[in-house]
Amino acid sequence: MAQPSILWLRQDLRLADHAALTAAAAAGPVILVYVLDDETPGNWCMGAASRWWLHKSLESLGRRVPLVLRRGRADVVLSELLGQSGATSLHFTRDYAPWSAGLERRVKDACDAAGVACHRYGGYLLHEPEAIRNGLGEVYKVYTPFSKACFAAGEPRSPRPVPNFKTSNHALGSDELASWDLLPRRPNWAKGFEAYWQPGEEGARSRLAAFIASGLADYADARDRPDRDVTSRLSAHLHFGEISPAQCWHAVRAAQSAANGRLDRAAEKFLKEILWREFSYHLLHLRPDLPEQPFRPEFSAFPWQVNEADLVLWQRGRTGYPIVDAGMRELWSSGIMHNRVRMIVASFLIKDLLIPWQAGERWFWDTLVDADIASNAASWQWVAGCGADAAPYFRIFNPVLQGEKFDPLGAYVRKWVPELARLPDPFVHRPWEAPTPVLQAAGVELGRNYPHPLVDHGVARDRALAAFKAIKGAAE
Ligand SMILES: Cc1cc2nc3c(=O)[nH]c(=O)nc-3n(C[C@H](O)[C@H](O)[C@H](O)COP(=O)(O)OP(=O)(O)OC[C@H]3O[C@@H](n4cnc5c(N)ncnc54)[C@H](O)[C@@H]3O)c2cc1C
């Protein structure tokens, strides 16, 4: 009987297109290990919504293959398991979080000390950060040339099938998943999540198929519309590695070629979004402090105003701006928020309320099921204007006009802010302008069952521009 190999599962909770599993399987029986490590990431250990997802995803994978679950510092736990299992090799997928390089080095050292071969594979990204570089050999800091370089690098490799493999029946013992307390206790704030999500590889695969069948055709034209269900909703599946970006890429390419040109624009747009994920990771690789520090250092001097009470109203969806409140309530109820609305709520927090972007990033970290160290940080910095290739700070979203443009009939607001559901279309994004009889007929009493606007957007905009001026000299 061949000696077993350990497959250290991380953000690659799938069996298909899994280079590390394929290699481990070729070497003999495989012990699949997942370590819940809250210590190594420090301040960035998984948020509450991610923990809910992780529980469900491990549950789903555990129904298909036996998993060894352990809790503790991953390098320490793996080192123990090497001794207990007699494994002769350890395989894992590379991760790019700021703490991962050090962790991976320590795991390699533990393997070396035990005389065990240690193998690291790609797969979480389409292109390793070392592989896409500009003419100076540096990481791209601007998205458009970055995406062009990715397209020029050629099509990503084809996804691998699930390998034939035997799991080792080595009696290592495993924690009970339930003992990790990943699910909320009382109150169960995640009870609505079940209706939206099927975590796990099968859920990811059916989500991708559903998107290709019914969302992709409209993706290029309607992806900015939160009232339409056309985006893929694959972000959490991609984050946990239940599906690989290469699988998404090739499935969309296959649909494109079957459609004889009809899906060309849509496919191009979708693949470019996948490359935004990629871009975020390359930036994080360049700047591991991206989750905490502005990419543009002059923003360190920005005169933020930390106001806890305003932050709480924003978190609870009680700002008095319907599109902002709808987004924040969608997030709380479902663990997700439409991309356009993420931009609107982020702009409102940063520019209308002058609250530091890191406070919003933290809230998203705890509440999003797709909370991702790279995409979250890069996107918050993008909206704040302090990122590598960011929207200029002075481009300040008007939440009323944004609402009217992207949710023209107010369907999204009506869904998530039911107290405004009966307002006529012209007022659904600006209830404070509705005449009293209109408000009365719709059952809306401002200040009682729906708040007055927390700030006057025009005044807030001027205040934000004045604050920006304070650092503008340094920015030029
Ligand atoms: C303030 C803010 C915070 C964000 N935080 C996160 C986060 O924590 N995790 C996360 O995955 N995305 C984040 N995004 C990006 C984006 O909003 C989500 O990826 C997208 O809404 C997920 O929905 P979808 O899967 O239907 O996307 P689709 O439109 O179907 O896009 C397909 C895939 O492309 C990737 N993608 C799309 N847009 C972006 C983007 N702007 N940046 C990086 N990747 C992108 C995602 O993996 C997504 O699943 C954030 C955006 C903003 C403005």
Side-chain angles (χ1 to χ4, degrees), residues 117-128:
C118 183
H119 302 280
R120 185 176 82 161
Y121 307 84
Y124 195 64
L125 299 178
L126 297 166
H127 305 280
E128 294 302 316

Side-chain angles (χ1 to χ4, degrees), residues 68-89:
V68 174
L69 304 178
R70 291 283 172 94
R71 189 170 198 164
R73 230 181 69 189
D75 50 329
V76 175
V77 171
L78 289 169
S79 173
E80 285 163 11
L81 284 175
L82 289 175
Q84 293 164 3
S85 65
T88 49
S89 59

